[in-house]
Amino acid sequence: MTLYLSYWTLASFSILIFTAPLWPVMPSGYWTVPCLLFLGLSLRLKRFRWFSGMLFACFIIVLNGNALRHQSETLFQAGQNITIIGEVNSLFKQISHGFQGIVVIRSIDGQTLNSVNLPKIRLTAPLPLQIGDQISAKITLKPKSGRLNRVGYDSEKNALAMGVVAKGRVQTKHSFYVVSHYSLRQQLYNQVKTQLDSFTNQGLLLALAFGDRGGIPKFQWKQLQSSGLSHLIAISGLHVGIVFLVGWAVGFVVCYVYPKATFFPAIFGGLFAFGYAYLAGFSVPTQRALIMVCLFILLFVVGRRFSLAFKWLVTVALLLLWQPFAAASMSFWLSIIAVAIVFIAVSSQVTTYTFWRSLVFLQFFMLLLMTPITALMFHGVSLSSSLFNLVFIPWFSLVIVPLVFLSLMVEWVLPASSWWLWYGADVCLSLVMWLIPYAQSSWFALSKIAEQVLVLLCVCLLFAPFLNRYAKGIGLLLCVSMVLFREIKPLWSVSVMDVGHGLSVVVAQDQQAWVYDTGSAWGNSSMAEEVIMPWLRWKGIHTLDALVLSHTDNDHAGGRQALATLWQPNQIITSQLDIGDSPCIAGQQWQWNEIDVQALWPPKQVQRAYNPHSCVLRLTHRQSDVSVFLSGDIDSVAEWMLLRKPELLDSDFLLVPHHGSRTSSLPEFIDAVSPKLAIASTAYAGRWALPNPQVVERYQAKAIQWLETGTSGQINLSFYPKRVEVVTMRQLKGGSWYRQMLRKELE
C-alpha cells in the first residue's frame, strides 16, 4: 500500500501541475494558506494521504503563479516609462532593430526591489550587453504579448516557461550606462568567438559550447531540422549527460589510482556537468539535466535500488517542483518523454543482446515512439532521422561533445594551445554537414488528419503485442474511419493570420489556396516561413494557385521570395510592373473553381506600388453567395475613387483598409461595403497605435461587428452552405490566466 501511495502521490502532483498553464484564473495568494492546512491534515490522517500530492501541487501552482503576477504588477504600476537598474541574465542576440536578451530588474525608479521576487523582462538595447553587466537606463515598458496562430511559435507560452513577464526597449534619447562585471562565461565566449572567426562551423561550435544558436546560418539550421539532428546542436540533457559521463570516466581513473576514493566518479561527473551547464547559461534544459544528474548521484550514494518507473516519476516531480510552469515548454515534454522511452526500452531488452544490437534496438524503439510526438509538435516527420541519429548520436557523444568540452577546458587554462582542438571539432562537424544535405528531401510536412492517423497507428503498433486480433481490427478500422469520415469541410475558408503589424490572408478551397500578402521579413526569417507555410501544410493544402501582393511594402510583401521559392505559386498577382506575371488592374477577373475574383483597384500598374496602389479584390463564392472584400492599405483617396461604382463594393466581410488607420475607412466607403463583420490586421500595443479608436467607433456605430488580430489572434472564417463560422484563436486557447497577465488583462 505504501508503494502505491508513493506512486500516486508523485503522479497526482505532476499531473495537476501539468494543467497549470490551462487554468483560466489564477487564485489569490491567500489560497496558499488553506492548501497548507489541508496538506498538513492529509499527512497526519492516513485516509487523506491520497490527496497530499494534489494539495502540494495546488500550493506550488498558486505560490508561483502569484509570484509572477506580483512581478508583472510591480513593473506596470510604475508606469510605461521607467528607469531601471537590471542585471543581464542571458546572451544578447542581434535582431533587426538592435540587440535583445533577458534582464533581471533589481530597481525601478530608484526603489530597490525585494531580491526574492525579481521580475525578468526581454530587453531590446542599442548594443550587445554582456552576461553579468549591470545596466541603468530609462526604458519603455510593454506587455509581453505575442502573435497567436493555430500553428507556429507561441511567444506567450515561451515567456511563461522562461518566467519573463514583460518586454522593454532602452530609450536612446536618454543617457544610459552599463557597468561591466567579470563573467568567466562571457570572457570565454568572447575568447572562443574570436578564436573561431575563420572556422566554417563557428555558429555550430558556439551553440555546442555556450548554447548560443544565434550564429548558426539559416540554411544550416534547416538542414539539421530536415535530417532530425537539430536536437544534437541545442544543448540539452543529452549533452550534459555526455559531459557527466566524461567526468565520471575521469573520476574512475582517479579512483583506479586511489582505490579508497570511491565517490570520485560521482564528484567529477557532477562538477563537469555543473561546469558545462554554467557555460550554457543554465538554460532551462540544462537545469533539468542537472536535476537528473543530482538525482542519479543521490541514488548512487544511497545505494538503494528503485524501479525505473519510480525513478522517472521522481525526476518529473522534481523538475516540476523546480520549474512549475516548465510544462509550457516543448523541450520539457521532449525531455521527459525521451527519458521514459529509454527506460521502457532498457526494461524491454533481452539480456543476451550484444552492445551494437542493443544500440540498434534502442534507436528504432525511440523512432517508433518519438515519431508521433515529433509529428504533433513539429507538424512533420523525417524518414531518414533514424539512420542519421543511429550514426551521429554516437559520433556526437563519443567525439564531438567531449572534444568541444576539452577545447573549452584548454581554452580556459592554455588559450594558445586550444586552436588545434577547435580545428579538430570543426573538421568533425564538417563531416556531419557534408552528409546532411542528403537527408533534406526526407522531411515530410503533415496535415492535421495525417498527424491524427499517424499517432493512432503508432499507438496500435505499440500495444499490438498485448492485443488480440479483434482489438487490432478495431484499431485499423478507427484509422480508416478517420480518413473516410472526417469532419464536415467548409465550401471555402478565409484565414486572417496574426502576423503583427502587417497582413496575410489565406483563402482555401478544397486543397488549393490563394495567399493575399505575406507579412514582413527580417534577418534570416519571415512571416511566410514562421506562420503562413506551417498553416498551409497543417490545412493539407497541396497547391498554391495564386500569390497576391497588394503592394510591396515589407509588412505586406516581405515573405514573397520565400513563399515563391518553396511553394511555386501558379501565378503572382500584383499592381507593380516588375513583379509577378499577372497584373492587378481594376476590371480584371479570375475564376477560381467556385470563387469569382474581381480586381477593383488600382486603375493601372505602377513602377513602385505603395499604399494607395494596393491591389483590391472582391471574392464571391457562387454556391454560398458570400463575398469578402480585401482592401490592402488603400487610403481615403482610393476609397473615394472606388465609390464611383458603389454596386461593386457591397460585401459581407471586409478586411479593414490600412490596419484601421485614420487615413482610411471613410463613412461613405463603409456604407457602400456594408459588411456584417470588419477585420483589421494589427499588432497588439504596436508602435503605430493601430487601429485608430475613432475608426473602430465608426464601424461599431453602424452595428458592424469588429475583430482585430492584435486582440483576437488568427481569425478563421469557414463558409458552409447555410452558415458562416467565425473562430478566433484567443477564443480557443487565449483564455489562460498567464495570457491575460502578460497582456495586462488581469482577472
Side-chain angles (χ1 to χ4, degrees), residues 367-402:
L367 172 67
L368 174 64
L369 297 189
M370 287 301 291
T371 294
I373 306 301
T374 303
L376 286 173
M377 291 185 173
F378 301 107
H379 309 291
V381 292
S382 174
L383 299 184
S384 63
S385 63
S386 176
L387 177 61
F388 274 73
N389 277 280
L390 187 64
V391 173
F392 288 121
I393 286 181
W395 182 247
F396 272 79
S397 302
L398 301 176
V399 180
I400 294 179
V401 174

Short mmCIF file of all heavy atoms in Angstrom, two decimals, residues 367-402:
data_model
loop_
_atom_site.label_atom_id
_atom_site.label_comp_id
_atom_site.label_asym_id
_atom_site.label_seq_id
_atom_site.Cartn_x
_atom_site.Cartn_y
_atom_site.Cartn_z
N LEU A 367 12.61 5.67 -32.32
CA LEU A 367 11.99 6.17 -33.55
C LEU A 367 10.49 5.91 -33.55
O LEU A 367 9.70 6.80 -33.85
CB LEU A 367 12.63 5.51 -34.76
CG LEU A 367 11.96 5.80 -36.12
CD1 LEU A 367 12.13 7.26 -36.49
CD2 LEU A 367 12.51 4.89 -37.20
N LEU A 368 10.09 4.71 -33.18
CA LEU A 368 8.68 4.33 -33.21
C LEU A 368 7.86 5.22 -32.27
O LEU A 368 6.79 5.72 -32.64
CB LEU A 368 8.52 2.86 -32.81
CG LEU A 368 7.07 2.36 -32.66
CD1 LEU A 368 6.35 2.44 -34.00
CD2 LEU A 368 7.05 0.95 -32.10
N LEU A 369 8.35 5.43 -31.05
CA LEU A 369 7.57 6.16 -30.07
C LEU A 369 7.71 7.67 -30.18
O LEU A 369 6.81 8.41 -29.79
CB LEU A 369 7.95 5.70 -28.66
CG LEU A 369 7.66 4.23 -28.34
CD1 LEU A 369 7.88 3.96 -26.86
CD2 LEU A 369 6.24 3.86 -28.72
N MET A 370 8.86 8.15 -30.69
CA MET A 370 9.04 9.59 -30.82
C MET A 370 8.42 10.14 -32.09
O MET A 370 8.20 11.35 -32.21
CB MET A 370 10.53 9.95 -30.79
CG MET A 370 11.17 9.84 -29.41
SD MET A 370 10.42 10.90 -28.16
CE MET A 370 10.90 12.53 -28.73
N THR A 371 8.14 9.28 -33.08
CA THR A 371 7.56 9.76 -34.34
C THR A 371 6.24 10.48 -34.14
O THR A 371 6.05 11.60 -34.65
CB THR A 371 7.39 8.59 -35.33
OG1 THR A 371 8.69 8.11 -35.69
CG2 THR A 371 6.67 9.05 -36.60
N PRO A 372 5.27 9.91 -33.40
CA PRO A 372 4.02 10.66 -33.20
C PRO A 372 4.22 11.94 -32.40
O PRO A 372 3.53 12.94 -32.63
CB PRO A 372 3.12 9.67 -32.46
CG PRO A 372 4.03 8.68 -31.85
CD PRO A 372 5.19 8.58 -32.77
N ILE A 373 5.17 11.92 -31.45
CA ILE A 373 5.45 13.13 -30.67
C ILE A 373 6.00 14.22 -31.58
O ILE A 373 5.59 15.38 -31.52
CB ILE A 373 6.45 12.82 -29.54
CG1 ILE A 373 5.96 11.66 -28.67
CG2 ILE A 373 6.69 14.06 -28.69
CD1 ILE A 373 4.62 11.88 -28.03
N THR A 374 6.96 13.85 -32.44
CA THR A 374 7.53 14.81 -33.40
C THR A 374 6.45 15.33 -34.34
O THR A 374 6.40 16.52 -34.65
CB THR A 374 8.64 14.13 -34.21
OG1 THR A 374 9.63 13.62 -33.32
CG2 THR A 374 9.28 15.11 -35.18
N ALA A 375 5.59 14.43 -34.80
CA ALA A 375 4.53 14.83 -35.72
C ALA A 375 3.60 15.86 -35.09
O ALA A 375 3.21 16.85 -35.72
CB ALA A 375 3.72 13.60 -36.16
N LEU A 376 3.25 15.66 -33.82
CA LEU A 376 2.34 16.57 -33.14
C LEU A 376 3.00 17.91 -32.84
O LEU A 376 2.37 18.96 -32.94
CB LEU A 376 1.83 15.94 -31.85
CG LEU A 376 0.80 14.82 -32.00
CD1 LEU A 376 0.52 14.18 -30.65
CD2 LEU A 376 -0.48 15.35 -32.61
N MET A 377 4.27 17.89 -32.46
CA MET A 377 4.95 19.11 -32.03
C MET A 377 5.50 19.92 -33.19
O MET A 377 5.49 21.15 -33.16
CB MET A 377 6.08 18.77 -31.06
CG MET A 377 5.59 18.26 -29.71
SD MET A 377 6.95 18.02 -28.56
CE MET A 377 6.06 17.62 -27.05
N PHE A 378 5.99 19.24 -34.23
CA PHE A 378 6.64 19.95 -35.34
C PHE A 378 5.88 19.82 -36.65
O PHE A 378 6.34 20.32 -37.68
CB PHE A 378 8.07 19.43 -35.52
CG PHE A 378 8.93 19.60 -34.29
CD1 PHE A 378 9.27 18.51 -33.51
CD2 PHE A 378 9.37 20.85 -33.90
CE1 PHE A 378 10.05 18.66 -32.37
CE2 PHE A 378 10.14 21.01 -32.78
CZ PHE A 378 10.48 19.92 -32.00
N HIS A 379 4.73 19.13 -36.63
CA HIS A 379 3.86 19.01 -37.80
C HIS A 379 4.60 18.42 -39.00
O HIS A 379 4.43 18.86 -40.13
CB HIS A 379 3.25 20.37 -38.16
CG HIS A 379 2.61 21.05 -36.99
ND1 HIS A 379 1.46 20.59 -36.40
CD2 HIS A 379 2.98 22.15 -36.29
CE1 HIS A 379 1.13 21.37 -35.40
NE2 HIS A 379 2.04 22.32 -35.30
N GLY A 380 5.44 17.43 -38.72
CA GLY A 380 6.15 16.77 -39.79
C GLY A 380 7.05 15.68 -39.24
O GLY A 380 7.30 15.60 -38.03
N VAL A 381 7.55 14.82 -40.12
CA VAL A 381 8.46 13.74 -39.71
C VAL A 381 9.60 13.63 -40.71
O VAL A 381 9.45 13.99 -41.88
CB VAL A 381 7.73 12.38 -39.62
CG1 VAL A 381 6.74 12.37 -38.48
CG2 VAL A 381 7.04 12.03 -40.93
N SER A 382 10.73 13.13 -40.23
CA SER A 382 11.89 12.90 -41.09
C SER A 382 12.08 11.40 -41.25
O SER A 382 12.30 10.69 -40.26
CB SER A 382 13.14 13.53 -40.49
OG SER A 382 14.28 13.19 -41.26
N LEU A 383 11.99 10.90 -42.49
CA LEU A 383 12.12 9.46 -42.73
C LEU A 383 13.54 8.96 -42.54
O LEU A 383 13.77 7.79 -42.27
CB LEU A 383 11.64 9.14 -44.15
CG LEU A 383 10.17 9.48 -44.45
CD1 LEU A 383 9.81 9.03 -45.86
CD2 LEU A 383 9.24 8.83 -43.44
N SER A 384 14.51 9.86 -42.68
CA SER A 384 15.90 9.43 -42.55
C SER A 384 16.46 9.66 -41.15
O SER A 384 17.62 9.37 -40.90
CB SER A 384 16.78 10.20 -43.55
OG SER A 384 16.74 11.59 -43.25
N SER A 385 15.62 10.20 -40.24
CA SER A 385 16.14 10.58 -38.93
C SER A 385 16.71 9.40 -38.17
O SER A 385 17.71 9.51 -37.45
CB SER A 385 15.04 11.24 -38.10
OG SER A 385 13.98 10.33 -37.86
N SER A 386 16.09 8.22 -38.33
CA SER A 386 16.58 7.05 -37.60
C SER A 386 18.01 6.69 -38.03
O SER A 386 18.89 6.49 -37.18
CB SER A 386 15.66 5.85 -37.85
OG SER A 386 16.17 4.70 -37.22
N LEU A 387 18.24 6.63 -39.34
CA LEU A 387 19.57 6.30 -39.84
C LEU A 387 20.59 7.33 -39.42
O LEU A 387 21.69 6.99 -38.94
CB LEU A 387 19.52 6.19 -41.37
CG LEU A 387 20.85 5.90 -42.07
CD1 LEU A 387 21.43 4.57 -41.59
CD2 LEU A 387 20.67 5.90 -43.58
N PHE A 388 20.25 8.61 -39.57
CA PHE A 388 21.19 9.67 -39.23
C PHE A 388 21.47 9.71 -37.73
O PHE A 388 22.61 9.91 -37.31
CB PHE A 388 20.68 11.02 -39.72
CG PHE A 388 21.04 11.31 -41.14
CD1 PHE A 388 20.41 10.64 -42.18
CD2 PHE A 388 22.01 12.25 -41.46
CE1 PHE A 388 20.76 10.90 -43.50
CE2 PHE A 388 22.36 12.51 -42.78
CZ PHE A 388 21.73 11.83 -43.79
N ASN A 389 20.43 9.52 -36.91
CA ASN A 389 20.65 9.51 -35.47
C ASN A 389 21.45 8.30 -35.04
O ASN A 389 22.27 8.37 -34.12
CB ASN A 389 19.31 9.54 -34.74
CG ASN A 389 18.76 10.95 -34.61
OD1 ASN A 389 19.17 11.71 -33.74
ND2 ASN A 389 17.83 11.31 -35.49
N LEU A 390 21.23 7.16 -35.71
CA LEU A 390 21.97 5.95 -35.38
C LEU A 390 23.47 6.15 -35.59
O LEU A 390 24.30 5.65 -34.82
CB LEU A 390 21.48 4.79 -36.26
CG LEU A 390 22.04 3.40 -35.95
CD1 LEU A 390 21.60 2.95 -34.56
CD2 LEU A 390 21.58 2.40 -37.00
N VAL A 391 23.81 6.93 -36.60
CA VAL A 391 25.22 7.19 -36.91
C VAL A 391 25.77 8.34 -36.08
O VAL A 391 26.87 8.25 -35.50
CB VAL A 391 25.39 7.48 -38.42
CG1 VAL A 391 26.82 7.91 -38.72
CG2 VAL A 391 24.99 6.28 -39.24
N PHE A 392 25.01 9.43 -35.99
CA PHE A 392 25.58 10.67 -35.45
C PHE A 392 25.39 10.86 -33.96
O PHE A 392 26.12 11.67 -33.36
CB PHE A 392 25.03 11.88 -36.22
CG PHE A 392 25.57 11.99 -37.61
CD1 PHE A 392 24.74 11.98 -38.72
CD2 PHE A 392 26.94 12.10 -37.82
CE1 PHE A 392 25.25 12.08 -40.00
CE2 PHE A 392 27.47 12.19 -39.10
CZ PHE A 392 26.62 12.18 -40.20
N ILE A 393 24.43 10.19 -33.32
CA ILE A 393 24.37 10.29 -31.86
C ILE A 393 25.66 9.73 -31.23
O ILE A 393 26.26 10.38 -30.37
CB ILE A 393 23.11 9.59 -31.30
CG1 ILE A 393 21.87 10.45 -31.59
CG2 ILE A 393 23.24 9.34 -29.80
CD1 ILE A 393 20.58 9.87 -31.07
N PRO A 394 26.14 8.53 -31.65
CA PRO A 394 27.45 8.09 -31.13
C PRO A 394 28.59 9.02 -31.54
O PRO A 394 29.52 9.23 -30.75
CB PRO A 394 27.62 6.70 -31.77
CG PRO A 394 26.24 6.24 -32.09
CD PRO A 394 25.49 7.48 -32.47
N TRP A 395 28.51 9.58 -32.75
CA TRP A 395 29.57 10.48 -33.23
C TRP A 395 29.64 11.73 -32.35
O TRP A 395 30.73 12.16 -31.95
CB TRP A 395 29.32 10.83 -34.68
CG TRP A 395 30.35 11.71 -35.33
CD1 TRP A 395 30.19 12.99 -35.76
CD2 TRP A 395 31.71 11.38 -35.62
NE1 TRP A 395 31.35 13.49 -36.30
CE2 TRP A 395 32.31 12.51 -36.23
CE3 TRP A 395 32.48 10.24 -35.43
CZ2 TRP A 395 33.63 12.53 -36.65
CZ3 TRP A 395 33.80 10.26 -35.84
CH2 TRP A 395 34.36 11.39 -36.44
N PHE A 396 28.48 12.29 -32.03
CA PHE A 396 28.45 13.46 -31.15
C PHE A 396 28.82 13.06 -29.72
O PHE A 396 29.55 13.80 -29.04
CB PHE A 396 27.05 14.11 -31.17
CG PHE A 396 26.87 15.14 -32.24
CD1 PHE A 396 26.62 14.76 -33.55
CD2 PHE A 396 26.95 16.49 -31.95
CE1 PHE A 396 26.45 15.70 -34.55
CE2 PHE A 396 26.79 17.45 -32.94
CZ PHE A 396 26.53 17.06 -34.24
N SER A 397 28.31 11.92 -29.28
CA SER A 397 28.50 11.51 -27.88
C SER A 397 29.95 11.15 -27.58
O SER A 397 30.49 11.51 -26.52
CB SER A 397 27.61 10.31 -27.55
OG SER A 397 26.25 10.62 -27.79
N LEU A 398 30.59 10.45 -28.51
CA LEU A 398 31.94 9.93 -28.25
C LEU A 398 33.05 10.83 -28.76
O LEU A 398 34.19 10.73 -28.30
CB LEU A 398 32.09 8.54 -28.87
CG LEU A 398 31.10 7.46 -28.38
CD1 LEU A 398 31.30 6.17 -29.15
CD2 LEU A 398 31.25 7.24 -26.89
N VAL A 399 32.72 11.71 -29.73
CA VAL A 399 33.78 12.51 -30.36
C VAL A 399 33.55 14.01 -30.19
O VAL A 399 34.34 14.71 -29.55
CB VAL A 399 33.91 12.15 -31.85
CG1 VAL A 399 35.03 12.98 -32.50
CG2 VAL A 399 34.19 10.66 -32.04
N ILE A 400 32.46 14.53 -30.78
CA ILE A 400 32.32 15.98 -30.90
C ILE A 400 32.12 16.66 -29.56
O ILE A 400 32.85 17.61 -29.21
CB ILE A 400 31.17 16.32 -31.86
CG1 ILE A 400 31.52 15.87 -33.29
CG2 ILE A 400 30.89 17.82 -31.84
CD1 ILE A 400 30.44 16.14 -34.31
N VAL A 401 31.13 16.23 -28.76
CA VAL A 401 30.86 16.90 -27.49
C VAL A 401 32.05 16.81 -26.53
O VAL A 401 32.46 17.82 -25.94
CB VAL A 401 29.57 16.37 -26.84
CG1 VAL A 401 29.37 16.96 -25.45
CG2 VAL A 401 28.36 16.69 -27.72
N PRO A 402 32.66 15.62 -26.33
CA PRO A 402 33.86 15.59 -25.47
C PRO A 402 34.99 16.47 -26.01
O PRO A 402 35.70 17.10 -25.22
CB PRO A 402 34.26 14.10 -25.50
CG PRO A 402 33.00 13.36 -25.78
CD PRO A 402 32.25 14.25 -26.73
#
